[in-house]
Amino acid sequence: MSASLAKPSAGTARQPLLDTCHLVETPEGIDLVLHPAGLVPRALAFAVDLAVRGAILLLSFLVLGQFGELGLGLASLLFFLVTWWYMVLFEVLNQGRSPGKQLLGLQVVHDDGTPVGWAASLTRNLLRVVDLLPFGYTLGILSCLAHPLFKRLGDLAAGTLVVYGERPQPHPSLPEIDAQPVPFALQADERRALLAFAERRARLSVGRRQELAGILAGPLQVPEEQAEARLLGIARELMGPP
């Protein structure tokens, strides 16, 4: 939006934005927006993968144990593979998604948004033993909570991020609200930004909507608590009658 439209009212001290997006500029000059995953979804994904690995190992020991020492040897080899290569194989061969991450809609990528490779995946997973110290993933949890992109120590060493993957979105629609006149001339990109805000409002938290709308409270000459309704009315005017 233009500087006149985005400029906050004089003397207004705004709080830091709630946004946790990570913006990456590709070599082609395209801005790539990544959404880092926090501790809770990552922990849930890990729990799912832990259950899957446990089920695989239990089943394998029950089956291979019937074949004596040869079976136990094969089971031990499988234990090694599942323990150290389960995450790596899925992350590299399945676009950064283990079964748990896929269930939670997460994926591992490099810091620049490119698909994770063998070296990075091996590094981040081998360093789980450090994140586990001194017990119960303590170092990993503290690192994840302290880092602005929710990185554990393995991610810091490997240069990787755990982000939300792109999911198909339903066709957006504007909310039912009376149209309000546009208070001043808008550029094309400003019109698109207003329409995008109205279309995506259902996917934003109340705090985030109020924060974004409050940025324009000054130019619109309305109190911040009324800015969202004003923007939606303008968006309806731009869009035309339903």
Side-chain angles (χ1 to χ4, degrees), residues 10-186:
T12 300
R14 302 195 62 82
Q15 297 294 323
L17 297 180
L18 297 173
D19 207 340
T20 57
C21 296
H22 179 54
L23 189 63
V24 175
E25 183 176 359
T26 68
E28 294 78 17
I30 300 173
D31 288 336
L32 181 64
V33 180
L34 303 176
H35 301 273
L39 177 61
V40 173
R42 293 184 62 166
L44 292 175
F46 182 78
V48 172
D49 286 320
L50 192 63
V52 172
R53 282 183 287 181
I56 292 174
L57 292 175
L58 177 62
L59 184 61
S60 65
F61 272 94
L62 290 176
V63 174
L64 295 176
Q66 306 299 319
F67 299 94
E69 293 184 356
L70 175 61
L72 291 177
L74 293 175
S76 299
L77 180 60
L78 185 62
F79 177 82
F80 169 79
L81 293 174
V82 170
T83 300
W84 294 103
W85 285 91
Y86 170 93
M87 289 290 195
V88 176
L89 291 174
F90 274 113
E91 287 178 357
V92 177
L93 302 178
N94 192 33
Q95 300 179 334
R97 296 172 296 186
S98 63
K101 290 186 179 66
Q102 186 151 7
L103 184 64
L104 271 293
L106 310 179
Q107 66 180 123
V108 183
V109 296
H110 288 127
D111 286 342
D112 59 2
T114 56
V116 67
W118 290 102
S121 182
L122 269 172
T123 300
R124 71 184 303 275
N125 283 293
L126 287 175
L127 285 180
R128 284 187 188 279
V129 294
V130 180
D131 284 305
L132 285 165
L133 296 175
F135 58 86
Y137 246 108
T138 301
L139 282 182
I141 291 172
L142 292 177
S143 175
C144 190
L145 292 176
H147 197 278
L149 300 179
F150 313 113
K151 286 192 171 197
R152 61 177 177 82
L153 297 179
D155 290 316
L156 290 171
T160 55
L161 279 172
V162 178
V163 300
Y164 288 99
E166 293 294 333
R167 290 182 173 179
Q169 300 293 336
H171 183 70
S173 60
L174 294 182
E176 296 296 331
I177 192 169
D178 293 334
Q180 299 184 32
V182 182
F184 37 73
L186 297 175

